[in-house]
Amino acid sequence: QVQLVESGGGLVQAGGSLRLSCAASGGTFSNYAMGWFRQAPGKEREFVLAIRWSGDRAYYGDSVKGRFTISRDNAKNTVYLQMNSLKPEDTAVYYCAAKAYYSGSYYHHNMMDYWGKGTLVTVSS
C-alpha cells in the first residue's frame, strides 16, 4: 500500500508560481509512474502531468503545456509540480497519483492505483 501526501498549495495571484510536492511512502517509489490531476468545483477530475518511473519522460495535459513542469527525485520518494504563469482557471484541488509498472503515455484518473488527499491551489485575478 502506497501513501501519498501532497503539500505546497495555497493562494497566489495570477501570473505567479507555486511548487507542489508529493511525498510517497509504503512502496518502492521507482516502480511507479506518477501523475498530477486536478479537480475544480463541479468539474471532472482532469489530468495535468505525469512522469515515468525513471523520470526521463513526461506527459502533459493540453491546458498546462508550456507553464507547468513535473519532476521526481527517486532518492527522496518525491514528485514535484512546478506551476508558472498561473491563471484563475488553474484554481482546483491538485491530487498526486501513482500507477504501478506503467510506461505508457495515456493517463486518466480511472486508471491510477493510489491517490493523495489533495492540496488546494487558488489563483486570484
Side-chain angles (χ1 to χ4, degrees), residues 29-103:
F29 185 65
S30 58
N31 287 342
Y32 293 86
M34 299 299 296
W36 287 95
F37 294 77
R38 67 185 182 186
Q39 190 165 19
K43 295 189 176 181
E44 186 176 354
R45 193 164 294 190
E46 173 191 22
F47 169 66
V48 178
L49 282 164
I51 189 167
R52 290 178 61 182
W53 67 272
S54 57
D56 64 341
R57 184 164 290 184
Y59 305 97
Y60 294 80
D62 290 340
S63 61
V64 303
K65 283 180 180 177
R67 300 188 298 123
F68 291 10
T69 57
I70 188 172
S71 61
R72 66 188 293 160
D73 185 337
N74 286 348
K76 295 182 178 180
N77 291 353
T78 302
V79 61
Y80 304 97
L81 176 63
Q82 178 66 44
M83 304 185 293
N84 299 327
S85 302
L86 282 161
K87 305 175 182 180
E89 52 263 44
D90 294 318
T91 295
V93 177
Y94 283 72
Y95 296 92
C96 173
K99 176 69 177 174
Y101 304 110
Y102 183 69
S103 297

